[in-house]
Amino acid sequence: MILVLLGPPGAGKGTQGAKIVECCGVPKISTGEIFRDLAAAGTPLGLEARNYWSRGELVPDEVVVGLVNERISCDDCLKGFVLDGFPRTVRQADILAELLAGMVRKITGVLDFDVDPDQLVLRLSGRRTCPNCSATYHLTSRPPQVDGHCDHCGQSLVQRSDDNPESIRTRLVEYATKTEPLLAYYEERGLLHRIDANGSPDEIFRDLEPALVTMGCGS
Ligand code: AMP
């Protein structure tokens, strides 16, 4: 199963991706997470990428595609994988299709998480993440059990540096101009499943389970 998660920043791709991983037993590949880890480790590629993502801009296609190609060629991806945050441009989608064709594989389905624009800013500005295990929380709608600490590993939670008002604005514009055209792209190819992502994480997952079942995963 090769699944693509689409939707604007704050739509819940990471949260739902984690639930899908639990249910389907395939790894989730988050390009944003890979960039943050590489930057935290101080690698040249991570530091170069940070120049873009800290401002809310997309990292150039060439940089992202190389990383994704390397990651999806790993043995743990043989059964399938979930792409969270990739592709984000039509060019990336074309290259992904070519890479998969070279492996005699193809995308099983694309889930588009649809959310009211007002909700997005509220979700992003209250979001807190665990720098150790990448679990995500929200100050009001999904607080951790112990204030400021991850429920899973106890690490102190942080606010992503790009979850500030200026970067959020840029990210939403980048999404509207460069990523939204992928909805038509995947719809034309009969792969798109639209999910109403305005509810709570559990409600959203209940709505998307039927789509997972049609793609050969879930109960
Ligand atoms: P995310 O964690 O998915 O919100 O991604 C955080 C940031 O990483 C984005 O705002 C981009 O700057 C960068 N990024 C992640 N995935 C991609 C991609 N597929 N193409 C370009 N930039 C990306």
Side-chain angles (χ1 to χ4, degrees), residues 128-135 137 144-158:
R128 296 293 181 270
T129 55
C130 173
N132 181 43
C133 71
S134 303
Y137 300 87
Q145 280 159 18
V146 177
D147 195 24
H149 292 273
C150 180
D151 292 349
H152 305 289
C153 65
Q155 180 76 236
S156 295
L157 301 179
V158 295

Side-chain angles (χ1 to χ4, degrees), residues 7-25:
K13 299 186 295 296
T15 305
Q16 295 305 318
K19 287 174 175 288
I20 294 169
V21 163
E22 225 173 85
C23 161
C24 304

Side-chain angles (χ1 to χ4, degrees), residues 20-219:
I20 294 169
V21 163
E22 225 173 85
C23 161
C24 304
V26 291
K28 175 167 81 87
I29 300 171
S30 157
T31 39
E33 237 168 74
I34 295 176
F35 287 134
R36 285 186 289 279
D37 288 347
L38 289 174
T43 68
L45 198 147
L47 298 177
E48 187 200 339
R50 186 161 66 189
N51 287 331
Y52 296 91
W53 61 253
S54 60
R55 291 197 297 257
E57 292 167 16
L58 290 188
V59 175
D61 289 338
E62 302 68 44
V63 177
V64 192
V65 163
L67 281 178
V68 170
N69 188 18
E70 205 175 298
R71 182 64 188 89
I72 65 178
S73 306
C74 294
D75 284 352
D76 66 332
C77 291
L78 284 172
K79 257 180 69 187
F81 48 87
V82 178
L83 289 170
D84 163 11
F86 182 89
R88 262 177 154 105
T89 63
V90 170
R91 181 144 178 272
Q92 290 180 15
D94 283 337
I95 296 174
L96 175 63
E98 279 167 28
L99 288 176
L100 292 176
M103 300 172 169
V104 201
R105 308 180 83 177
K106 57 183 179 347
I107 293 173
T108 319
V110 177
L111 299 179
D112 167 45
F113 295 93
D114 202 16
V115 186
D116 284 348
D118 297 348
Q119 279 256 349
L120 293 176
V121 178
L122 286 176
R123 283 187 188 185
L124 290 169
S125 47
R127 177 160 74 177
R128 296 293 181 270
T129 55
C130 173
N132 181 43
C133 71
S134 303
T136 56
Y137 300 87
H138 191 276
L139 289 180
T140 51
S141 64
R142 203 152 58 100
Q145 280 159 18
V146 177
D147 195 24
H149 292 273
C150 180
D151 292 349
H152 305 289
C153 65
Q155 180 76 236
S156 295
L157 301 179
V158 295
Q159 182 170 30
R160 269 173 53 170
S161 61
D162 57 346
D163 278 347
N164 66 75
E166 202 179 321
S167 297
I168 289 173
R169 262 193 304 276
T170 307
R171 284 155 71 199
L172 293 174
V173 172
E174 289 278 77
Y175 175 77
T177 53
K178 298 180 181 161
T179 310
E180 218 166 44
L182 288 178
L183 300 185
Y185 179 99
Y186 284 123
E187 186 144 48
E188 277 165 22
R189 287 157 179 77
L191 291 170
L192 195 72
H193 300 261
R194 288 182 195 271
I195 309 292
D196 176 356
N198 286 297
S200 69
D202 287 341
E203 285 165 347
I204 300 167
F205 191 66
R206 266 198 303 277
D207 283 354
L208 70 80
E209 264 186 318
L212 286 184
V213 173
T214 63
M215 289 186 259
C217 164
S219 44

